[in-house]
Structures are given as structure tokens and as C-alpha cells.
Amino acid sequence: MLVALIDEYKRATKDYIKILDNVSEEAFLKIRDSKTEDPDCKSIQTITFHVVQSGYTYANYIQSVSNDTWLEYQVPINTSQFAIQEIKGMLDYTEQSFHANWYKTNKELEKYSFKTRWNVTYDLEQLLEHAIVHILRHRRQVENFLKKD
């Protein structure tokens, strides 16, 4: 289960990175939705910061199975190239969060659940599925922003 879900997570991030790799710095920073009340959805920059910050949060929940390390991501992301670097770092951190769990059976992994800050309780599989879809949704949002250019 873990290997399959991590593979899909990597695939989703690769697609997001492909888009960012073709985004100019001006396009990355441009405010695209000035009317939204969600500060994470105003520009490609704010969306990408949110994606990276959320990725670290998901990894922190996973890591909480074996230790109490919590990395609150707060690094400003001001260029698309730095964003790509930070997404890759988030992926590495996520893979490392599984260090104590790679060889557990699905039955052992099903015992864990996580009450999130957004008041949803997930098991490990649901949390990873949420992480994957989170990137897919925001990739689509960025693609739609770019269609308007």
C-alpha cells in the first residue's frame, strides 16, 4: 500500500513540477484571484507555498506514528525554480517520514489514525490519498490560471 501511494504522490508532484518549470517568475507571482477570501489561492506562488506546507503537514502526521518530530514549513517561496526545489524537498521529507513503517503489513498500518488540524480523522491510507488529490486539485487550479494568460 505505501509503495503504491508514494509512487502516485511522486507522480502527482512531477506533473505539478512540469507546470512550474514553464512558468515565468512574473507569472508565478502575479495575483490571479484578488477576490478570493482564501489567502492560499491568490497566485501560483501562494498555491505552491500551500501545497508544500501541506505536504510537510501530511508527512508530520505520518511521522507521528514513530516519533514526535514536527516540522512546520515556513520558508518563503518567491520563484518557480525555488518552488520546484522545495517540492522535491517535501517529497524527500515525506519518504523519510515512513522510515519506521516501510516493512509493516497493511494490517499493522491500518491501526493508525490521525485527527488533523482541519478536524478530519484519517487512517494512513486516507491521509496519503488526500495528499495526492490535494496536489491534483491545486495543479488543476494553476493550469486554469495559466489558461487565462
Side-chain angles (χ1 to χ4, degrees):
M1 170 186 64
L2 289 182
V3 173
L5 289 170
I6 283 296
D7 282 350
E8 289 304 313
Y9 196 43
K10 286 179 184 177
R11 186 177 185 181
T13 58
K14 281 180 188 173
D15 290 345
Y16 195 92
I17 286 170
K18 263 190 224 171
I19 293 166
L20 290 179
D21 203 29
N22 293 307
V23 172
S24 71
E25 301 315 318
E26 181 183 353
F28 184 73
L29 298 171
K30 179 180 175 182
I31 299 298
R32 298 183 176 259
D33 188 348
S34 58
K35 295 180 178 158
T36 183
E37 294 181 20
D38 186 345
D40 293 330
C41 293
K42 292 185 176 292
S43 67
I44 296 172
Q45 175 192 26
T46 61
I47 292 166
T48 303
F49 177 82
H50 170 70
V51 164
V52 173
Q53 186 178 53
S54 297
Y56 276 92
T57 300
Y58 306 139
N60 287 327
Y61 283 118
I62 294 161
Q63 190 163 257
S64 71
V65 167
S66 57
N67 69 59
D68 60 357
T69 302
W70 190 278
L71 176 62
E72 195 65 43
Y73 184 85
Q74 292 296 330
V75 179
I77 298 176
N78 295 314
T79 69
S80 56
Q81 291 307 303
F82 185 65
I84 290 168
Q85 175 185 318
E86 293 302 282
I87 290 169
K88 290 176 180 179
M90 177 268 297
L91 258 180
D92 289 342
Y93 184 75
T94 301
E95 284 191 274
Q96 291 169 18
S97 72
F98 285 109
H99 71 278
N101 299 306
W102 283 119
Y103 302 104
K104 291 184 179 177
T105 66
N106 286 354
K107 194 165 192 79
E108 289 173 303
L109 293 171
E110 289 169 1
K111 295 176 187 175
Y112 302 114
S113 66
F114 311 93
K115 173 86 171 170
T116 64
R117 313 193 251 216
W118 55 97
N119 294 318
V120 176
T121 301
Y122 295 110
D123 64 25
L124 186 59
E125 183 175 14
Q126 291 168 322
L127 182 67
L128 284 168
E129 288 171 348
H130 175 82
I132 293 164
V133 173
H134 186 253
I135 290 175
L136 296 175
R137 285 182 15 224
H138 286 301
R139 186 215 65 226
R140 181 181 178 278
Q141 184 181 20
V142 168
E143 287 172 334
N144 286 334
F145 278 171
L146 292 170
K147 284 178 188 174
K148 296 176 183 174
D149 280 350

